[in-house]
Amino acid sequence: MNVVQTLPTPGDTSWFVHDRFGLFIHWGLYALPARHEWVKHNEQIPDEVYDVYFRHFDPDLYDPRAWARAAAGAGMKYFVITTKHHEGFCLWDSKLTDYKAPNTPAGRDLLHPMVDAFREEGMRVGFYHSLIDWHHPHYIIDPHIGPYRNAPNRDEMNANRTQARYAEYLRGQVRELLTEFGQVDILWFDFSYPKPDGSGKGREDWQSEKLYAMVRELQPKIILDDRLDLPDGWDIKTPEQFQPRGWVMHEGQPVVWEACQTFSGSWGYHRDEASWKSIDQLVQMLIDTVSKGGNLLLNVGPTGRGEFDARALDRLAGLGEWMKRHSRSIYGCTQAPPEFKTPRDCRLTYNPETNRLYVHVFAWPFVELHLEGFGGKIEYAQLLNDASQVAVQGRPDWQSHFGDVGGDIVTLRLPVQKPDVTVPVIELFLK
Ligand code: GLC
């Protein structure tokens, strides 16, 4: 059966397109203000004021094994952690800066135990690393982003800064990350914003080509995102906080892609945000992503005490409850071959290895579900949650009385009551 072929990638994406579902973690000093990881920029907080969070960062309840269990329980297969976010604070014991977890009340490297814990749960390891840095003394302050973007003395502040020294620091830290933690499966740089007048930041500011060469030399198989401002060399496209309409394309070609999404809008822990997505929405989002051939990287912002808060645990548990019975329609699955038309209110996924097709029903219909393009192709059908048979009929006789439904329609006979699961799935064994 014809499934979409993507452009070949320099890194190893074979496991990635199988596993489909990962956990993003945004954790840094911004967990303390608890009002967005961009707080330093949003409120234009100078270093000496922001420092209060450095002095009080004390995640005494931090238990990375609990995080890893929560992620594995939700059905996630890999994780991506912010080794450093835009604020510049580092979770590991970098030799190149003092601005790191061991120098806070936390008093230790927080990254190694996390990597170990997730590996123990059988999960792959990804590092998010911010290109942007609002703390480094050689990072040139530009007029667009950062706490000092509007500073009247910006030029003065920049007088002694040499961006190339920052680029060297960036490379040095990435070298640490790619040599001190064993195999790293994903590297997620964030982000470039080049401007035509040269005032933003892009490949020249990061020395992206040098950085890229080093990354591929140290970890040739690593999966690299697309935010270094390089025309090629990346492995994945990374749409953020929206669901693409279809398979993500680059210059007319389908590519490997991963949507990244939050529970509530902000990535870092946000105490007061009320826009939390429901379990229903999140399960639908995961399905929708895989039905378009993509991966979903879903984010948790742990608290300053070092925990996933109750709202996050609730969503992860809900996802896990669904995944327990339905992961077969996610792992190893991709967009269905084009001859199968997606019925109204549904999403299709397809596993080319097992030749099974999955109909995810977002709005439960009344008894009959009509499938177009499926005529003569179904060997057996069942509800995935309980393996109960679903009757498959050719076009019922009465349809001739009510007008032609057209094409090669097959009708599934469903129970009147929606199965008691977030999104019911019908598993079709194809001939
Ligand atoms: C952004 C934001 C950010 C977040 C990231 C995740 O570009 O700067 O805070 O880390 O997207 O995709």
Side-chain angles (χ1 to χ4, degrees):
M1 206 99 43
N2 259 345
V3 291
V4 170
Q5 298 299 322
T6 49
L7 282 176
T9 57
D12 177 14
T13 49
S14 59
W15 66 269
F16 184 78
V17 299
H18 176 275
D19 287 357
R20 290 300 184 207
F21 192 23
L23 176 70
F24 218 168
I25 304 176
H26 277 64
W27 199 37
L29 300 179
Y30 44 79
L32 295 188
R35 50 181 191 269
H36 207 284
E37 77 284 354
W38 275 62
V39 63
K40 194 179 184 193
H41 160 100
N42 291 345
E43 300 177 16
Q44 305 189 47
I45 305 174
D47 287 338
E48 61 279 13
V49 176
Y50 201 76
D51 228 37
V52 72
Y53 306 125
F54 186 81
R55 295 197 307 272
H56 289 90
F57 187 68
D58 186 12
D60 58 327
L61 300 177
Y62 175 49
D63 175 6
R65 278 165 310 177
W67 295 13
R69 274 196 303 271
M76 292 158 162
K77 294 288 193 184
Y78 59 98
F79 85 116
V80 179
I81 169 72
T82 51
T83 51
K84 175 193 89 166
H85 202 261
H86 308 335
E87 64 179 1
F89 175 72
C90 300
L91 288 182
W92 83 105
D93 192 8
S94 172
K95 312 292 169 294
L96 302 173
T97 184
D98 295 331
Y99 202 49
K100 56 183 175 183
N103 294 340
T104 66
R108 63 200 190 282
D109 173 351
L110 299 171
L111 188 56
H112 265 105
M114 200 186 307
V115 168
D116 293 345
F118 278 81
R119 281 208 184 109
E120 263 165 48
E121 287 290 334
M123 297 175 77
R124 300 256 187 176
V125 177
F127 288 157
Y128 166 110
H129 195 70
S130 179
L131 299 165
I132 296 167
D133 194 311
W134 299 331
H135 181 266
H136 194 274
H138 282 289
Y139 188 92
I140 300 276
I141 301 159
D142 64 54
H144 306 288
I145 65 173
Y148 296 109
R149 65 192 179 285
N150 297 321
N153 59 339
R154 205 176 62 225
D155 290 346
E156 238 169 85
M157 292 180 76
N158 278 333
N160 295 320
R161 291 176 181 238
T162 311
Q163 182 73 20
R165 287 187 59 184
Y166 171 71
E168 199 184 319
Y169 170 77
L170 177 61
R171 272 197 305 281
Q173 288 208 317
V174 171
R175 177 175 290 278
E176 290 183 348
L177 291 170
L178 300 189
T179 53
E180 294 172 14
F181 294 84
Q183 181 182 317
V184 179
D185 302 290
I186 301 174
L187 185 57
W188 225 101
F189 285 124
D190 192 40
F191 63 93
S192 302
Y193 52 104
K195 304 279 176 199
D197 66 356
S199 63
K201 293 240 178 356
R203 65 187 88 155
E204 276 156 35
D205 307 280
W206 323 128
Q207 300 186 351
S208 292
E209 275 161 29
K210 249 171 141 170
L211 183 57
Y212 178 79
M214 187 191 79
V215 168
R216 286 279 180 234
E217 184 204 313
L218 296 175
Q219 301 254 0
K221 295 200 310 193
I222 206 163
I223 296 177
L224 191 67
D225 75 342
D226 60 334
R227 299 188 179 189
L228 265 181
D229 185 32
L230 289 176
D232 40 41
W234 46 267
D235 298 287
I236 56 169
K237 285 271 157 202
T238 56
E240 172 180 330
Q241 304 253 36
F242 71 95
Q243 287 295 105
R245 291 182 58 203
W247 200 302
V248 174
M249 312 286 270
H250 176 72
E251 294 174 351
Q253 300 272 6
V255 292
V256 180
W257 67 276
E258 175 192 64
C260 50
Q261 301 285 2
T262 61
F263 282 144
S264 67
S266 130
W267 299 85
Y269 176 65
H270 198 308
R271 184 187 57 202
D272 301 332
E273 228 161 28
S275 47
W276 279 69
K277 297 171 185 75
S278 66
I279 292 167
D280 261 59
Q281 274 179 306
L282 294 162
V283 169
Q284 290 190 6
M285 187 180 261
L286 172 62
I287 295 163
D288 182 67
T289 305
V290 178
S291 79
K292 295 164 181 169
N295 281 37
L296 179 64
L297 186 62
L298 196 54
N299 180 74
V300 171
T303 70
R305 296 289 300 273
E307 290 189 294
F308 290 4
D309 84 340
R311 297 166 294 184
L313 290 172
D314 171 69
R315 301 317 188 273
L316 291 173
L319 282 154
E321 191 57 25
W322 185 83
M323 281 293 277
K324 184 160 111 190
R325 296 180 191 84
H326 300 91
S327 63
R328 233 147 74 191
S329 73
I330 300 293
Y331 301 143
C333 289
T334 185
Q335 182 173 291
E339 58 263 43
F340 299 99
K341 300 280 169 285
T342 305
R344 188 174 295 177
D345 303 325
C346 294
R347 297 289 185 283
L348 301 179
T349 65
Y350 173 66
N351 186 326
E353 295 270 305
T354 60
N355 195 29
R356 294 182 201 177
L357 200 130
Y358 297 93
V359 185
H360 303 78
V361 187
F362 284 8
W364 195 245
F366 174 54
V367 179
E368 292 186 337
L369 185 68
H370 307 292
L371 305 175
E372 194 183 335
F374 291 62
K377 294 185 180 138
I378 302 172
E379 192 239 323
Y380 184 71
Q382 64 181 12
L383 281 171
L384 188 50
N385 59 294
D386 64 356
S388 61
Q389 183 175 13
V390 169
V392 183
Q393 301 178 335
R395 188 198 302 189
D397 283 339
W398 54 262
Q399 280 186 355
S400 52
H401 304 300
F402 293 93
D404 195 345
V405 249
D408 56 327
I409 302 245
V410 160
T411 299
L412 301 181
R413 300 278 307 173
L414 301 174
V416 171
Q417 288 191 328
K418 180 191 165 201
D420 188 20
V421 296
T422 307
V423 175
V425 178
I426 299 139
E427 183 174 44
L428 302 176
F429 298 70
L430 300 181
K431 284 183 185 158

